[in-house]
Amino acid sequence: MMYIIETVSWTAKAGVKPSEMVGAVERMVSDLEKVPGFRYQSLSLKESTAKNQEEPDAPDQWLQLYYWDSVETAHNSNTLMAPTTSLNHLISLIEPDTIAIDVFTPQQQSSQLSLS
């Protein structure tokens, strides 16, 4: 089975530490697990911001991948997660005008994604 992939990218507000962002996402996962169709998520920090020696105060750029059963469950998740404290806390760490959300339908995969 191939899952729908939702990408959410953003830039952290100035002064937000990577550990704060990771902690906020980890708190949000317990709410996500209650959303119908949610399968898995991962959070990644853009390598150039993780090791930016020339501009150590440059804001961190993040990418979160969500795996859903269907396009419909991916879209419905926005409404279901909007009132949660965990999502609102995460959003408080993000520059709002940098958020980009896209939903992709897989067309090919090298092997079955094993989710536990």
Side-chain angles (χ1 to χ4, degrees):
M1 173 181 208
M2 289 196 282
Y3 295 105
I4 299 300
I5 301 167
E6 178 181 23
T7 64
V8 183
S9 60
W10 67 83
T11 300
K13 287 183 177 175
V16 173
K17 296 177 184 170
S19 60
E20 292 176 273
M21 194 66 73
V22 170
V25 169
E26 286 176 349
R27 285 190 295 278
M28 191 179 66
V29 169
S30 64
D31 289 327
L32 275 170
E33 290 173 339
K34 299 172 190 167
V35 175
F38 172 75
R39 294 294 163 216
Y40 178 78
Q41 68 79 38
S42 65
L43 177 67
S44 299
L45 178 60
K46 186 174 181 179
E47 183 67 18
S48 64
T49 61
K51 298 187 179 204
N52 191 340
Q53 302 298 323
E54 295 170 13
E55 294 183 62
D57 295 329
D60 291 330
Q61 294 179 2
W62 295 89
L63 173 67
Q64 191 167 24
L65 299 177
Y66 296 93
Y67 294 84
W68 299 98
D69 285 344
S70 68
V71 171
E72 182 181 43
T73 57
H75 289 300
N76 290 342
S77 70
N78 297 324
T79 303
L80 296 171
M81 287 298 293
T84 64
T85 302
S86 63
L87 178 60
N88 287 298
H89 173 65
L90 176 62
I91 290 172
S92 75
L93 305 176
I94 295 170
E95 289 294 345
D97 60 340
T98 67
I99 299 172
I101 301 173
D102 292 295
V103 176
F104 295 86
T105 302
Q107 302 298 302
Q108 184 279 335
Q109 66 183 18
S110 60
S111 63
Q112 181 87 18
L113 179 65
S114 176
L115 304 176
S116 50

